[in-house]
C-alpha cells in the first residue's frame, strides 16, 4: 500500500526565515525538526510567483497559462500573451488535480485552508458564498472527498483574520478518521500564515480563537470537543506570545501590562538573526517587516506541533507510513512576490520520508537538485501507483523525482533530480526561461496597457518610480504584478538577461552584451509560449542595439 501524504503549503513563507535555510532565531522549531528528520531541497522553485497561479500549478502540475479559462477565442488570435495574475481558477478539473488522481488510486482526500482558486462571481453571482457553497466548490473542482475551514480568497482573510488552530484541528480530525478507514489519505492544508494581516499580530494573539470556519459560529460551543479545542487554542496563543516576548519581537505597549505590540526597530533583534543572507534578497530589507513575518511563522509553527504528531499517529496503522511535505506558494511580498526574480520564485521545500523508507543517514539530507512545484503531482502519483503503464494519461508539465526520494531513502543523497536544465516562469505579462547559468525575462504587456516606457495606467513612469522610491507601495504593486522588477533600474528593460552564476542578485542586464545567449534562450521561451498559448504572438528579437524589444503583437 502507498504512503499517506500530508501536504502543507504556507502563504508567503520566506525560505530564509527557517532554520533549515540558515536562520538562527530558533522560533520555528517544529519546521526545523521536520528538516532534521527529512530532506531539505536547496533549489526549489515556484513557476508562478503569485498566490492563485502558483496554487493552480501545485495542484495540477500544469503551468497556469494553460488553464482552461485562459483558452483563446478567434478574437484573440495574433494578440500577445495574457496577464497571469488572480484570473486563474479550477473549474470542473477534479480528475486533473493531485487530489483527484490520488483518489482514483484509493486515497481519501481532504482540504482545509486558503483555496484562492474559485471564480467567486460565477459561484454566487458576486455575493459572499456560504461555507457549504465553498466546500462544494472545492470538492467538485478540486477532487477532494472532504473540505472544510475554507478561506476562498484574501477577502475572507481580511474579514476574519487568522485562525490557524482550528485549521490544524480540522485537518488532524480528518486524518484520524481517514486513518481508521484502512486506506491511505491525502491531506492538503493551506495555512493563511504568514500572509497579511500581520501588523496587529500581538493583538491577534490575544483574540479568542474561533471554533469554526470563517463567518461561522460554533455549532455546539458547550460540547466536550469544542471546549477542549478552545482551551488548547488559548494556551497555544499564550505560548506563542511568550516565545515572541522572550525573543524581543513583542514589547509592552504603554503602561498596561496586558497590551503588547511589535517592538521598535531599536529593540528588535538584528536583521541577520531573523533571516539568513542570500544574494538575491533585497539589500534594503526592513527589520520590522521581517520581524512581523518571523512572528507569524512562529505562530504557524506552533500549530504544526500537534498536527504533525496527529498525522503520524493516523498513518501509524499503515505499513507504508506517512510522507510529509512543507512548502510555500512563493516568496514574501516584501522581497519578491509577483515578479520572476530569485527572491520571488525560490520557495522552501521540506520532506519527511515515510518511516519504512527513511535510512538513518538520509535524515537531515540537503539536496541540491532543482525541482519546481510542477514536479509534485507526478512525484506523488508515482508514489501512489509505481507502475507507469497503469497511471492515468493526464498531462503534466512536471517531472517526477520519486527516484530521488527512493535513492535518498536507501542512504544516497547524491542523486540529482533528472529535470533538464531549463524551466519556465510566468507572472503578469512576463515570461521567463531559466537554465543552470542564465535567466532570460521578457516583459511584453500590450501597448494599450503600457505604451513603451512613457507611462503606466495613465501615470508618467517617472512619477511611478519617484513614488515607489519614496515608499509608496501602490505603484510597486501595480508594476511587479505586471512582471517588472522591484527596483527602478530595470523598469524599462523589456528583455533582461542575467548570469545566475556571476550575478545571482540579478543586477546587471546582459541582453545586449550577450546577443547569442539571448537569441538561444529567446527561442526556448518562444517555444514555451507557443505551447502554452498557441495563438499568442510572441517573438524575442535579440539585438546589440539599444532598441532590443520583444515583439508585442
Amino acid at each position: 500500500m502507498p504512503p499517506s501524504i500530508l501536504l502543507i503549503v504556507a502563504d508567503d513563507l520566506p525560505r530564509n526565515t527557517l532554520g533549515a535555510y540558515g536562520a538562527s532565531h530558533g522560533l520555528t522549531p517544529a519546521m526545523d525538526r521536520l528538516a532534521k528528520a527529512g530532506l531539505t531541497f536547496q533549489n526549489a522553485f515556484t513557476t508562478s510567483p503569485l498566490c492563485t497561479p502558483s496554487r493552480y500549478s501545485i495542484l495540477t502540475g500544469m503551468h497556469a497559462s494553460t488553464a482552461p479559462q485562459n483558452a483563446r477565442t478567434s478574437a484573440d488570435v495574433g494578440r500577445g500573451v495574457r496577464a497571469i495574475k488572480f484570473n486563474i481558477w479550477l473549474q470542473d478539473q477534479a480528475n486533473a488535480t493531485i487530489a483527484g488522481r490520488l483518489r482514483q488510486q484509493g486515497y481519501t482526500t481532504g482540504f482545509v485552508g486558503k483555496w484562492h482558486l474559485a471564480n467567486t462571481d460565477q459561484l454566487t453571482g458576486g455575493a459572499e458564498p456560504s461555507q457549504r457553497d465553498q466546500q462544494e466548490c472545492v470538492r467538485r473542482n478540486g477532487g477532494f472527498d472532504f473540505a472544510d475551514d475554507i478561506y476562498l480568497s484574501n477577502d475572507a482573510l481580511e474579514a476574519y483574520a487568522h485562525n490557524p488552530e482550528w485549521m490544524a484541528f480540522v485537518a488532524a480530525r480528518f486524518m484520524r478518521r481517514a486513518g481508521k478507514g484502512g486506506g491511505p489519505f491525502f491531506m492538503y492544508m493551506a495555512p493563511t500564515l504568514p500572509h497579511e494581516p500581520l501588523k496587529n499580530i500581538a493583538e491577534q494573539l490575544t483574540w479568542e480563537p474561533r471554533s469554526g470556519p470563517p463567518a461561522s459560529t460554533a455549532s455546539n460551543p458547550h460540547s466536550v470537543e469544542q471546549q477542549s479545542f478552545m482551551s488548547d487554542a488559548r494556551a497555544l496563543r499564550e505560548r506563542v506570545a511568550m516565545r515572541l516576548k522572550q525573543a524581543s519581537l513583542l514589547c509592552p505597549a504603554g503602561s498596561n501590562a496586558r497590551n503588547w505590540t511589535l517592538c521598535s526597530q531599536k529593540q528588535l533583534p538584528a536583521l541577520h538573526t531573523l533571516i539568513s543572507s542570500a544574494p538575491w534578497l533585497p539589500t534594503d530589507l526592513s527589520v520590522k517587516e521581517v520581524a512581523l513575518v518571523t512572528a507569524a511563522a512562529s505562530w504557524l509553527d506552533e500549530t504544526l506541533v500537534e498536527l504533525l504528531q496527529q498525522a503520524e499517529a493516523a498513518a501509524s496503522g499503515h505499513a507504508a507510513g506517512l510522507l510529509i511535505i512543507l512548502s510555500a506558494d512563493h516568496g514574501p511580498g516584501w522581497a519578491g512576490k509577483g515578479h520572476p526574480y530569485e527572491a520571488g520564485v525560490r520557495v522552501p521545500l521540506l520532506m519527511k520520508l515515510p518511516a519504512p523508507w527513511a535510512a538513518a543517514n538520509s535524515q537531515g539530507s540537503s539536496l541540491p537538485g532543482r525541482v519546481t512545484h510542477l514536479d509534485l503531482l507526478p512525484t506523488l502519483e508515482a508514489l501512489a501507483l509505481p507502475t507507469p503503464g497503469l497511471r492515468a494519461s493526464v498531462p503534466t508539465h512536471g517531472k517526477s523525482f520519486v527516484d530521488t526520494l527512493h535513492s535518498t531513502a536507501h542512504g544516497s543523497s547524491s542523486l540529482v533530480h533528472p529535470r533538464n536544465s531549463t524551466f519556465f516562469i510566468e507572472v503578469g505579462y512576463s515570461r521567463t526561461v531559466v537554465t543552470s547559468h542564465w535567466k532570460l525575462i521578457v516583459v511584453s504587456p500590450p501597448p494599450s496597457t503600457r505604451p513603451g516606457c512613457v507611462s503606466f495606467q495613465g501615470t508618467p513612469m517617472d512619477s511611478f518610480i519617484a513614488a515607489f522610491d519614496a515608499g509608496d507601495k501602490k505603484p510597486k504593486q501595480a508594476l511587479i504584478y505586471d512582471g517588472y522588477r522591484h527596483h527602478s533600474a530595470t523598469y524599462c528593460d523589456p528583455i533582461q538577461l542575467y548570469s545566475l552564476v556571476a550575478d545571482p542578485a540579478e543586477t546587471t542586464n546582459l541582453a545586449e552584451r550577450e546577443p547569442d545567449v539571448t537569441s538561444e534562450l529567446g527561442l526556448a521561451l518562444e517555444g514555451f509560449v507557443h505551447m502554452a498559448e498557441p495563438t499568442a504572438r510572441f517573438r524575442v528579437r535579440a539585438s546589440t542595439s539599444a532598441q532590443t524589444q520583444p515583439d508585442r503583437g
Side-chain angles (χ1 to χ4, degrees):
M1 186 171 72
S4 291
I5 301 165
L6 170 59
L7 171 62
I8 303 169
V9 179
D11 201 350
D12 289 16
L13 178 66
R15 69 189 291 282
N16 288 57
T17 57
L18 301 182
Y21 294 96
S24 60
H25 50 66
L27 295 171
T28 54
M31 288 184 273
D32 295 346
R33 285 194 297 269
L34 185 64
K36 290 177 182 177
L39 313 175
T40 300
F41 288 78
Q42 294 295 335
N43 292 291
F45 299 86
T46 178
T47 53
S48 198
L50 204 57
C51 299
T52 297
S54 69
R55 293 163 194 267
Y56 181 90
S57 293
I58 288 171
L59 280 174
T60 66
M62 300 289 286
H63 282 283
S65 58
T66 65
Q69 65 271 19
N70 200 44
R72 290 169 172 262
T73 67
S74 57
D76 296 317
V77 174
R79 294 182 177 178
V81 297
R82 286 186 172 176
I84 302 299
K85 300 184 183 181
F86 299 103
N87 53 345
I88 304 296
W89 57 85
L90 281 170
Q91 186 169 342
D92 300 324
Q93 293 170 264
N95 292 330
T97 67
I98 293 177
R101 291 164 81 160
L102 292 179
R103 187 167 64 177
Q104 293 173 12
Q105 307 308 325
Y107 277 73
T108 303
T109 59
F111 170 80
V112 297
K114 184 176 175 181
W115 184 238
H116 223 323
L117 285 167
N119 183 343
T120 54
D121 289 339
Q122 286 188 359
L123 187 60
T124 61
E128 182 176 359
S130 68
Q131 186 69 195
R132 179 173 294 181
D133 289 335
Q134 296 178 47
Q135 292 169 0
E136 173 58 25
C137 170
V138 172
R139 290 196 298 264
R140 182 180 68 252
N141 297 312
F144 291 94
D145 299 304
F146 168 87
D148 200 357
D149 197 30
I150 299 167
Y151 289 74
L152 204 61
S153 68
N154 287 335
D155 292 341
L157 182 54
E158 292 290 339
Y160 304 109
H162 300 288
N163 197 43
E165 299 85 5
W166 181 253
M167 192 179 296
F169 178 84
V170 172
R173 184 172 60 187
F174 163 82
M175 289 185 286
R176 288 196 305 271
R177 293 174 177 174
K180 292 178 182 178
F185 60 78
F186 169 67
M187 163 49 63
Y188 170 33
M189 175 176 162
T192 59
L193 288 167
H195 193 282
E196 295 177 333
L198 295 180
K199 290 183 179 180
N200 64 338
I201 189 170
E203 183 181 357
Q204 288 188 54
L205 287 169
T206 68
W207 292 349
E208 187 77 344
R210 186 178 62 250
S211 57
S216 71
T217 56
S219 57
N220 186 2
H222 302 296
S223 71
V224 173
E225 182 183 60
Q226 294 273 4
Q227 291 179 343
S228 175
F229 163 77
M230 293 297 290
S231 176
D232 292 344
R234 293 187 193 106
L236 184 150
R237 293 190 180 194
E238 290 174 2
R239 290 196 302 273
V240 173
M242 182 58 65
R243 179 191 294 171
L244 298 180
K245 294 170 185 177
Q246 293 173 346
S248 297
L249 293 187
L250 298 185
C251 291
S255 58
N256 190 333
R258 297 188 62 184
N259 294 334
W260 293 75
T261 188
L262 186 75
C263 294
S264 68
Q265 188 160 330
K266 290 183 179 181
Q267 295 169 303
L268 287 170
L271 183 64
H272 69 82
T273 67
L274 299 177
I275 187 167
S276 61
S277 63
W280 55 81
L281 287 173
T283 57
D284 58 349
L285 286 176
S286 162
V287 66
K288 296 195 76 170
E289 286 189 319
V290 176
L292 280 172
V293 169
T294 303
S298 188
W299 187 5
L300 168 64
D301 188 86
E302 188 65 19
T303 68
L304 296 182
V305 174
E306 179 71 15
L307 173 75
L308 296 178
Q309 293 174 356
Q310 293 270 358
E312 296 275 12
S316 62
H318 304 161
L322 175 71
L323 172 66
I324 302 173
I325 306 170
L326 185 140
S327 189
D329 49 358
H330 45 66
W334 41 257
K337 178 179 179 178
H339 66 58
Y341 302 87
E342 294 294 283
V345 298
R346 284 184 174 268
V347 294
L349 182 59
L350 310 177
M351 289 192 180
K352 183 180 179 184
L353 300 179
W357 296 13
N361 57 346
S362 72
Q363 297 180 4
S365 295
S366 180
L367 301 183
R370 296 196 304 179
V371 297
T372 76
H373 280 157
L374 298 173
D375 302 327
L376 291 176
L377 184 146
T379 300
L380 298 184
E381 188 177 37
L383 286 174
L385 194 60
T387 306
L390 298 179
R391 295 178 203 153
S393 57
V394 181
T396 174
H397 294 144
K399 295 189 176 184
S400 170
F401 55 88
V402 70
D403 289 342
T404 299
L405 298 182
H406 281 303
S407 177
T408 305
H410 289 90
S412 171
S413 60
S414 60
L415 182 66
V416 177
H417 172 45
R419 164 170 291 287
N420 60 33
S421 60
T422 303
F423 67 92
F424 301 93
I425 300 166
E426 50 189 8
V427 64
Y429 289 107
S430 72
R431 299 296 185 267
T432 300
V433 56
V434 185
T435 72
S436 58
H437 189 120
W438 300 100
K439 178 182 285 186
L440 177 70
I441 302 170
V442 176
V443 191
S444 54
S448 60
T449 303
R450 182 184 173 89
C453 195
V454 178
S455 66
F456 186 83
Q457 296 180 348
T459 301
M461 181 55 59
D462 289 345
S463 298
F464 263 102
I465 294 174
F468 168 65
D469 290 342
D472 185 345
K473 291 188 176 182
K474 288 184 179 179
K476 172 184 177 181
Q477 296 299 314
L479 288 165
I480 65 174
Y481 286 168
D482 277 336
Y484 277 81
R485 189 156 175 72
H486 59 285
H487 64 66
S488 58
T490 52
Y491 277 164
C492 301
D493 292 355
I495 297 180
Q496 303 168 35
L497 177 70
Y498 301 101
S499 168
L500 297 177
V501 175
D503 179 27
E506 302 164 291
T507 59
T508 304
N509 185 359
L510 301 176
E512 295 183 11
R513 284 186 250 172
E514 298 284 353
D516 291 342
V517 175
T518 301
S519 293
E520 180 181 353
L521 295 183
L523 288 174
L525 194 55
E526 288 173 10
F528 164 71
V529 170
H530 294 150
M531 175 279 298
E533 303 177 74
T535 63
R537 185 177 182 184
F538 182 90
R539 187 154 53 98
V540 182
R541 295 175 178 174
S543 170
T544 57
S545 72
Q547 280 73 46
T548 301
Q549 294 284 326
D551 186 342
R552 294 187 177 89

